[in-house]
């Protein structure tokens, strides 16, 4: 299991907070990614100013690239970052493992571990270039 996935599992149950970046006060989808990578020893640059709505998929992918992640294809590995295009021009990030996700669920108001089928297929998947 990757250190990022293990760190994300420790965040399950943390409350949801829009634009939350600290587990003690709450996390949104970006916060889960930032916190899990930080706990695993990797600081992601450029994700703190990530807009939640109205940004294009291409712009979001550019931000993920600026943060030090690279797009990947092939089998999902635990700790991959999924970028999802949801209705209403809303983008969402989640950590992936085969058949599972960990993400900040706004409806449930907390970070959850769920079957991957809870979200549509990811528009793209990302991981640090060192793990490509």
């Amino acid at each position: 299991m990757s250190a990022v996935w293990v760190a994300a599992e420790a965040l399950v149950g943390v409350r949801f907070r829009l634009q939350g970046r600290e587990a003690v006060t709450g996390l949104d989808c970006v916060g889960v990614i930032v916190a899990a990578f930080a706990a695993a020893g990797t600081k992601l640059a450029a994700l703190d100013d990530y807009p939640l709505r109205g940004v294009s998929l291409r712009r979001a992918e550019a931000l993920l690239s600026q943060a030090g992640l690279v797009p990947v294809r092939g089998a999902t590995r635990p700790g991959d970052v999924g970028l999802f295009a949801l209705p209403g021009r809303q983008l969402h990030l989640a950590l992936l493992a085969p058949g599972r996700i960990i993400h900040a669920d706004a409806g449930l108001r907390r970070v959850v571990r769920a079957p991957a089928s809870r979200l549509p297929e990811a528009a793209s998947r990302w991981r640090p270039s060192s793990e490509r």
Side-chain angles (χ1 to χ4, degrees):
M1 215 33 71
S2 81
V4 171
W5 182 261
V6 171
E9 285 187 320
L11 298 172
V12 170
V14 168
R15 80 179 190 97
F16 174 85
R17 185 172 71 87
L18 191 61
Q19 298 185 346
R21 298 294 182 270
E22 300 290 331
V24 295
T25 57
L27 299 169
D28 67 2
C29 67
V30 176
V32 170
I33 304 304
V34 170
F37 272 88
T42 301
K43 180 174 178 2
L44 296 178
L47 279 181
D48 287 335
D49 295 327
Y50 183 91
L52 299 174
R53 287 189 183 268
V55 67
S56 71
L57 192 59
R58 181 164 290 153
R59 176 70 181 128
E61 289 175 337
L63 289 169
L64 290 169
S65 180
Q66 291 169 15
L69 301 174
V70 295
V72 293
R73 299 200 187 282
T76 299
R77 291 189 208 163
D80 282 357
V81 175
L83 173 61
F84 299 85
L86 303 177
R89 289 195 59 198
Q90 182 175 354
L91 300 178
H92 186 61
L93 296 175
L95 284 163
L96 310 174
R100 298 172 289 166
I101 59 171
I102 294 176
H103 72 118
D105 190 308
L108 295 175
R109 306 298 297 164
R110 67 183 191 282
V111 176
V112 299
R113 183 184 321 102
S117 60
R118 285 283 301 269
L119 293 174
E121 185 173 339
S124 58
R125 282 186 304 108
W126 300 76
R127 70 176 65 121
S129 60
S130 62
E131 296 177 23
R132 191 164 198 181

